Amino acid sequence: MGAFGAPDSHRSASDGRVELRRLSQLRSAPAARHRYATDRFLRWLYATAHDQRPTDPTAFLGTTESYFAGSALSETELDYALARLTNPGLVADAGTQPKTVAFTLGGIDCVLSGATVSDYLNRTHLSDYYSITGTNVVAGSQAKVEQHNHNDAFDPAAVREFAALVQQLAPTYGLEPAQQAELIRDAELLSEEADSGALSPEAPAPRTTPSWGD
């Protein structure tokens, strides 16, 4: 904008404005933020304490890695990331006050594999297959979840783990209050069925599969 008389005056070109809109939309996507927080925290912890020493997780929030598309991650988002990593055993709570966490061998293996957390967990839990259909299930619009067991090594603990994770992360999906309540109820039912043995290979298949926000 040299015509304005200042050699350092600039304005966004059309491509720049498109990129700004893209970043703005990305910053407001809960699923994208959660995936980023989970993956980046695990890699930060590996760089910081791959010797498995207990580490204060909140130190991550003071790093450049804690920014997603130009927006700082919150403590709540860090808590969700820690829950996502602790539940499958990639990170362990060291049981200290203030809270510290430590790497596990599984977490180290995930980082060294070069895979994202989601891809790594899908790759290492082949006996527990969940197909997710619908539109933006993690982002929190309409979603339908069906469980398919492809072998006889059924593990009800994995179903309970999945249901507990859904309940814990439900507030991040951007659902309406009624839809969020329905999602949590369906997750509770899934956990109860796992506890009762209703989902075991020997038990008759349920009449319906849980439908969330459908």
Side-chain angles (χ1 to χ4, degrees):
M1 296 176 62
F4 284 82
D8 58 348
S9 297
H10 298 79
R11 68 178 179 185
S12 297
S14 57
D15 287 348
R17 289 191 290 272
V18 170
E19 178 65 6
L20 287 172
R21 284 194 295 271
R22 185 189 72 82
L23 290 174
S24 177
Q25 293 171 354
L26 191 60
R27 279 196 296 269
S28 61
R33 294 179 68 92
H34 180 63
R35 284 193 298 269
Y36 175 87
T38 304
D39 290 331
R40 193 51 62 98
F41 176 82
L42 189 67
R43 279 150 182 77
W44 170 83
L45 186 61
Y46 178 80
T48 303
H50 57 271
D51 57 357
Q52 299 179 278
R53 69 179 183 274
T55 302
D56 178 6
T58 61
F60 171 73
L61 297 176
T63 68
T64 56
E65 289 92 340
S66 67
Y67 283 80
F68 174 68
S71 173
L73 297 172
S74 67
E75 290 188 16
T76 299
E77 288 172 317
L78 175 59
D79 287 341
Y80 288 138
L82 288 173
R84 180 72 176 96
L85 294 168
T86 303
N87 212 30
L90 301 183
V91 167
D93 188 336
T96 62
Q97 290 296 333
K99 180 178 181 178
T100 59
V101 296
F103 239 122
T104 65
L105 293 179
I108 293 174
D109 186 56
C110 176
V111 172
L112 296 182
S113 73
T116 65
V117 170
S118 294
D119 287 344
Y120 177 81
L121 293 177
N122 289 337
R123 185 184 304 169
T124 54
H125 292 80
L126 298 180
S127 63
D128 308 309
Y129 170 70
Y130 300 96
S131 64
I132 299 178
T133 59
T135 305
N136 297 330
V137 58
V138 180
S141 56
Q142 290 186 348
K144 182 177 181 181
V145 175
E146 298 177 355
Q147 177 192 345
H148 304 273
N149 299 312
H150 290 281
N151 57 43
D152 293 334
F154 177 77
D155 182 6
V159 177
R160 289 193 296 271
E161 176 182 307
F162 175 72
L165 185 64
V166 169
Q167 294 177 61
Q168 190 166 23
L169 299 182
T172 70
Y173 293 165
L175 296 171
E176 295 295 329
Q179 291 178 313
Q180 180 177 315
E182 181 183 359
L183 173 61
I184 292 174
R185 282 197 302 272
D186 286 339
E188 290 172 345
L189 289 174
L190 184 62
S191 180
E192 291 172 2
E193 289 182 346
D195 288 333
S196 67
L199 296 178
S200 66
E202 294 78 12
R207 294 182 181 179
T208 60
T209 55
S211 178
W212 300 342
D214 202 13

